[in-house]
Amino acid sequence: MAKVPVNKHQPVYQMPTSPLAVKTKKFALDKKQYVNIAMGQLWEQQKMWTLVPLGLLLVNAILGITGVYPNIWAYIVIILGALLYVGFWWVQFTGVTQLEQYKQLFDKYLYEIDSRQILVKTNPKEGGIMQWEQIKNAYRTKDAYVLIMARGQFLHFPHSVFNSEHDMRLFERILKQKNLLAEPKEVAK
């Protein structure tokens, strides 16, 4: 990076850019949208575990119907346990939106995306670099692209942040070249 002095007290670094980079408008992730996407991501990762409470409810129903062990409390405990688990994760993701240390997740950034890296910029001359290896997978919804890094960590690019249709197609082509883009899916809001 080339150092470009603005004033003697605060150095500013010029980020390298590519002519084939997709440049977005400056935007921020909405806190409510963060919670919704994070909960949807959690559901996708753990939906197979819904079989556990359903199986326990079924076993309890069979035991109750046959008269071997009639117990209404098992239903309550199983349902309450499942609701507490979902509530725990909802509180975790909502807490992220309230804590000062995660404030930068919801700041406005510019992005320059090319096949080498993703530049995350606070302004045209300052920012950081994110490598493609950090992205585990990606998917496209009807109105956005979501790049997943880990549970509760993702980049959300609404279609409205791209400067043109060409930029969106180029971004999608980069994702496909990196073998990250899954088939389009509908996500409830």
Side-chain angles (χ1 to χ4, degrees):
M1 289 188 266
K3 194 173 180 183
V4 180
V6 173
N7 67 38
K8 63 182 180 178
H9 300 293
Q10 185 178 15
V12 177
Y13 295 95
Q14 177 67 38
M15 305 301 291
T17 60
S18 167
L20 296 176
V22 175
K23 296 176 182 168
T24 67
K25 299 172 187 169
K26 195 169 191 174
F27 71 99
L29 179 62
D30 181 51
K31 293 179 180 184
K32 212 180 246 190
Q33 196 170 31
Y34 169 81
V35 174
N36 289 340
I37 293 171
M39 288 299 289
Q41 180 185 352
L42 180 72
W43 169 254
E44 287 296 318
Q45 292 174 345
Q46 299 189 0
K47 63 184 168 189
M48 66 185 163
W49 291 103
T50 58
L51 295 176
V52 172
L54 292 176
L56 291 172
L57 288 171
L58 181 64
V59 167
N60 192 50
I62 291 171
L63 291 175
I65 290 171
T66 59
V68 175
Y69 186 71
N71 186 355
I72 190 103
W73 289 104
Y75 294 110
I76 296 169
V77 169
I78 293 166
I79 292 170
L80 187 61
L83 290 175
L84 284 173
Y85 182 78
V86 171
F88 168 78
W89 283 108
W90 182 80
V91 167
Q92 294 292 315
F93 294 136
T94 303
V96 165
T97 66
Q98 304 301 317
L99 293 174
E100 185 67 30
Q101 66 204 40
Y102 295 108
K103 184 181 174 208
Q104 72 268 11
L105 287 175
F106 307 103
D107 287 343
K108 287 188 172 192
Y109 295 107
L110 302 163
Y111 293 88
E112 283 190 25
I113 303 147
D114 63 26
S115 60
R116 298 174 298 146
Q117 63 203 2
I118 300 171
L119 297 176
V120 183
K121 296 181 169 188
T122 54
N123 63 46
K125 295 187 179 190
E126 293 181 71
I129 297 174
M130 180 179 289
Q131 298 298 326
W132 281 106
E133 291 78 33
Q134 293 176 272
I135 309 297
K136 299 213 182 324
N137 65 347
Y139 61 89
R140 179 182 180 176
T141 63
K142 65 179 178 181
D143 62 347
Y145 292 94
V146 180
L147 282 58
I148 299 171
M149 294 175 279
R151 181 181 295 159
Q153 296 178 353
F154 53 85
L155 296 174
H156 180 257
F157 293 101
H159 293 175
S160 61
V161 302
F162 294 100
N163 293 314
S164 68
E165 188 72 30
H166 173 72
D167 282 349
M168 269 182 30
R169 286 194 307 270
L170 182 58
F171 180 66
E172 190 165 325
R173 189 170 68 218
I174 291 170
L175 292 176
K176 286 179 181 177
Q177 286 174 347
K178 299 288 180 186
N179 294 323
L180 293 171
L181 192 61
E183 291 301 312
K185 64 169 128 176
E186 294 296 319
V187 176
K189 288 193 174 189

